[in-house]
Amino acid sequence: MIDIQPLAILREIDRTGSLTMAADKLCLTQSAVSHAIRRFEERHGVRLWDRQGRRLLLTPSGQYLLALANRVLPQLEHGATVLEDYARGRRGAIRVGMECHPCQDWLMRVVDPFLAQWPDVDLDVTSAFQFGGLAALLGHEIDVLVTPDPTERPGLKYLPVFDYELVLAVAQDHPLATKPCLTPEDLVHETLVTYPVALERLDIYTRFLIPAGALPRRHRTVETTDLMLRLVASGRVVSATPDWLLRDTPGIRGLRIGEGIAKSIHLGLRKGERPEYLAGFIDLARQVKV
């Protein structure tokens, strides 16, 4: 293996034009510099320079080693900086799993300032775990889980980000639109559209319909918020929707479901020390409101 010190010596001599100045730059004595080069020459059976008075003329071996130093040393110096950043929590990666279908727009407003503040940290967002986010978090497949339904498990903690109310979205001219609040029986003749989530995780079923023994005439699912709201605006369906989605949606009203279904979006995290960049992501997420 080639020692790094002779590479650094040759580079500094080339930069400064002087053995004395190179030694000072490297915090070495001239004797130590000469000894390091002589040891390298003996080990590899080459000469790196010849003296002409006070001048040092590099041999072909020395010129090759100088070129190598100019390629390799910057990479090693960059590597040292990267490792220091890792040690201080300034560089790494965050993998965010989404269990909240309508939270994409909110999350993008967190992502933009985060990427600006942490240019050396990679960030990946996936909804591939929307049916198994808890297992993905416990299995270290993701680092943060955005969820409206925190499930307590040893080793995990949840931080609330923002509160909202689940309301029933209906077209403005829908027969139910004039009601101040709904009863379960109001939905028995309706087509209810939801995201593709198991019924046991849908609050409108578990906290409203099933306890009253009432079910909608039909239940269908859609993948996207945009399609869901378009179907609602057409008057064909109704949908249990976070209230914030309806604030700037013309042609749709949000009705209180029973006495109200209060919800919160949480960030699920593994317990333990967090790198600085993950703490920064959490701080930004708690500042950005819907």
Side-chain angles (χ1 to χ4, degrees):
M1 295 290 291
I2 294 177
D3 294 333
I4 293 176
Q5 189 181 51
L7 299 180
I9 291 171
L10 287 181
R11 185 176 65 167
E12 289 306 324
I13 290 175
D14 183 62
R15 285 176 172 178
T16 63
S18 163
L19 179 62
T20 301
M21 294 178 65
D24 290 342
K25 189 77 172 178
L26 296 169
C27 300
L28 298 171
T29 65
Q30 291 187 53
S31 175
V33 168
S34 297
H35 180 70
I37 294 298
R38 186 165 57 251
R39 186 171 62 245
F40 182 90
E41 292 175 331
E42 292 173 352
R43 179 180 179 184
H44 293 279
V46 297
R47 286 186 60 77
L48 299 183
W49 63 50
D50 291 316
R51 290 182 179 272
Q52 288 188 356
R54 294 186 177 181
R55 295 180 60 197
L56 296 177
L57 296 180
L58 293 180
T59 65
S61 297
Q63 292 172 359
Y64 168 78
L65 206 63
L66 174 61
L68 181 64
N70 287 330
R71 293 196 308 271
V72 171
L73 292 179
Q75 296 182 47
L76 294 176
E77 289 162 353
H78 175 69
T81 301
V82 170
L83 290 176
E84 182 181 353
D85 285 346
Y86 277 124
R88 296 184 179 183
R90 295 195 301 245
R91 183 184 294 263
I94 298 178
R95 297 156 298 175
V96 181
M98 296 287 292
E99 279 191 335
C100 175
H101 285 76
C103 289
Q104 294 283 357
D105 289 342
W106 164 79
L107 184 61
M108 290 306 104
R109 290 192 284 122
V110 178
V111 166
D112 288 342
F114 177 82
L115 294 177
Q117 291 182 24
W118 299 90
D120 294 323
V121 176
D122 293 329
L123 189 143
D124 182 43
V125 178
T126 178
S127 59
F129 304 109
Q130 58 196 11
F131 304 119
L134 185 65
L137 185 60
L138 287 168
H140 293 255
E141 296 175 72
I142 57 175
D143 305 299
V144 180
L145 179 64
V146 181
T147 180
D149 302 305
T151 303
E152 297 298 329
R153 289 290 188 277
L156 299 183
K157 69 178 300 183
Y158 293 90
L159 301 177
V161 180
F162 59 85
D163 300 326
Y164 65 96
E165 183 175 342
L166 193 70
V167 297
L168 191 78
V170 301
Q172 279 191 331
D173 58 356
H174 192 282
L176 294 176
T178 58
K179 298 199 67 171
C181 63
L182 299 169
T183 65
E185 289 72 23
D186 289 327
L187 272 67
V188 296
H189 301 296
E190 302 295 332
T191 296
L192 177 66
V193 63
T194 69
Y195 295 108
V197 177
L199 291 187
E200 59 267 21
R201 298 192 61 193
L202 291 171
D203 293 285
I204 192 165
Y205 277 93
T206 60
R207 296 171 61 176
F208 186 62
L209 294 173
I210 292 176
L215 292 175
R217 177 177 63 86
R218 183 185 175 205
H219 175 213
R220 59 173 294 194
T221 63
V222 298
E223 293 279 351
T224 68
T225 300
D226 183 61
L227 177 57
M228 180 182 293
L229 295 181
R230 289 175 184 270
L231 289 171
V232 170
S234 74
R236 299 183 182 188
V237 303
V238 298
S239 176
T241 306
D243 57 355
W244 87 79
L245 285 180
L246 306 182
R247 291 173 187 163
D248 300 312
T249 307
I252 296 178
R253 288 198 59 190
L255 308 178
R256 172 156 284 190
I257 300 172
E259 297 180 359
I261 299 179
K263 298 282 291 178
S264 297
I265 295 298
H266 290 76
L267 299 182
L269 304 153
R270 290 183 295 275
K271 292 181 179 178
E273 290 189 16
R274 300 188 192 111
E276 188 177 344
Y277 58 81
L278 181 54
F281 178 85
I282 294 169
D283 288 342
L284 281 171
R286 301 184 83 173
Q287 293 171 24
V288 175
K289 304 302 180 185
V290 291

